[in-house]
Structures are given as C-alpha cells and as structure tokens.
Amino acid sequence: MGGTAVVLGGGGAVGIGWQAGLLTGLAEGGCDLSGADLVVGTSAGALVGASSPAEPIRRRPCVRLPGWRRS
C-alpha cells in the first residue's frame, strides 16, 4: 500500500486562505499535491480539498465561496 494523502483541517475563512496558500507554496517549491491519491478535510479543509481535484489550487489565486460577500 502506498500513495500520497493530503489531510486538511478546519479554520474558517482564515483556514481556507492559509491552506490554499500552503498548497500553492508547496507546488511552487516542487511538491505538487494536486494529483494526490486521497484528499480528506474537515470544515474549511473539506472546502479546499473538494476544490483541489476539480481545479488545482496552484492554478487559481484564491478560493471563492458561493454567496459570500464582503461586509
């Protein structure tokens, strides 16, 4: 048994930004995890993880949540 797994935690809006930035930085540094065999997350990590396989984070500058508006 082998492969690559990405496990992401929560953290609200800050967690989404932090995790997206982390994955982008890792990809820029040569550790591209967009092709991981398993991606799991809870709360904010679930949003980041669910969006990664469909549209790798390294290709987009930010994560946008449907219906979110700056107040």
Side-chain angles (χ1 to χ4, degrees):
M1 181 177 220
T4 304
V6 178
V7 181
L8 303 166
V14 173
I16 292 172
W18 190 88
Q19 291 172 36
L22 174 69
L23 293 175
T24 299
L26 287 171
E28 289 174 358
C31 182
D32 185 5
L33 297 173
S34 64
D37 299 310
L38 178 66
V39 179
V40 295
T42 182
S43 190
L47 293 173
V48 174
S51 66
S52 295
E55 183 180 354
I57 288 174
R58 62 183 170 79
R59 293 190 183 155
R60 56 194 157 98
C62 64
V63 175
R64 294 178 188 244
L65 301 177
W68 181 85
R69 289 183 296 187
R70 184 177 297 234
S71 56

